[in-house]
Structure formats: structure tokens, C-alpha cells
Amino acid sequence: MKIFEAIMLLCFGAAWPFSIGRSLKSKTTGGKSPLFLGIILLGYLSGIIHKVLYARNWVVWLYILNALMVSVDLGLWFRNRSLERGSE
């Protein structure tokens, strides 16, 4: 079953580099929600905790990678919001 979990995480994870790239290039918060990103991050952190406590296997690294990418995107949202406020 872990192969299907890994496929799901790889598919979700494939989107984050594009989202991060868009945040870097646009320097705006448009189309992004910090609440949504926070909920996604909470989900990945819950997956990490579950893997560490109950189901140790290599898939935990995919959760960690995805959580890191979401964290970067969330950090960029706050940076971009600061840039937007500075230009007003």
C-alpha cells in the first residue's frame, strides 16, 4: 500500500515547484491563500507524525519534502505580501 501513498505524494509534490516558481516570479500574493497553505502543511506534518510513530518507512521522506516545499511557498507569500505593502 505504501507505493500508492508514495504516488499520491509524488503527484501532489510535483505541483509545489511550479507554485514556488510562480511566487518568486510574480512577487504578488494573488491566487494564494496562507490559510490554505497552512492547512496543507498541517496535513503533511500529520503524515510525518503518523509515519514516525506508527508506520516507519521511506515514504516519510516524501512527506518531509512536500512539507518543506509548502513551507517555502508560505514563506514567499509573507515576503510577497510585505513587498505589496511596501509598494502602496
Side-chain angles (χ1 to χ4, degrees):
M1 293 302 260
K2 65 185 163 208
I3 189 66
F4 295 111
E5 184 179 18
I7 292 169
M8 178 212 48
L9 289 167
L10 287 169
C11 290
F12 286 160
W16 293 116
F18 295 105
S19 182
I20 290 168
R22 181 174 172 240
S23 292
L24 285 168
K25 185 176 180 181
S26 72
K27 296 183 181 169
T28 67
T29 58
K32 302 267 178 143
S33 164
L35 178 62
F36 176 76
L37 292 171
I39 291 169
I40 297 298
L41 183 57
L42 178 63
Y44 286 139
L45 294 175
S46 296
I48 292 167
I49 291 168
H50 172 74
K51 287 295 178 188
V52 169
L53 296 178
Y54 303 108
R56 289 184 184 223
N57 60 48
W58 59 271
V59 177
V60 71
W61 296 108
L62 295 175
Y63 279 104
I64 292 169
L65 178 62
N66 284 351
L68 288 172
M69 289 189 287
V70 173
S71 296
V72 167
D73 207 15
L74 185 58
L76 287 171
W77 187 91
F78 285 103
R79 181 203 70 159
N80 291 345
R81 184 181 68 166
S82 178
L83 292 174
E84 289 173 343
R85 287 185 175 174
S87 67
E88 291 178 356

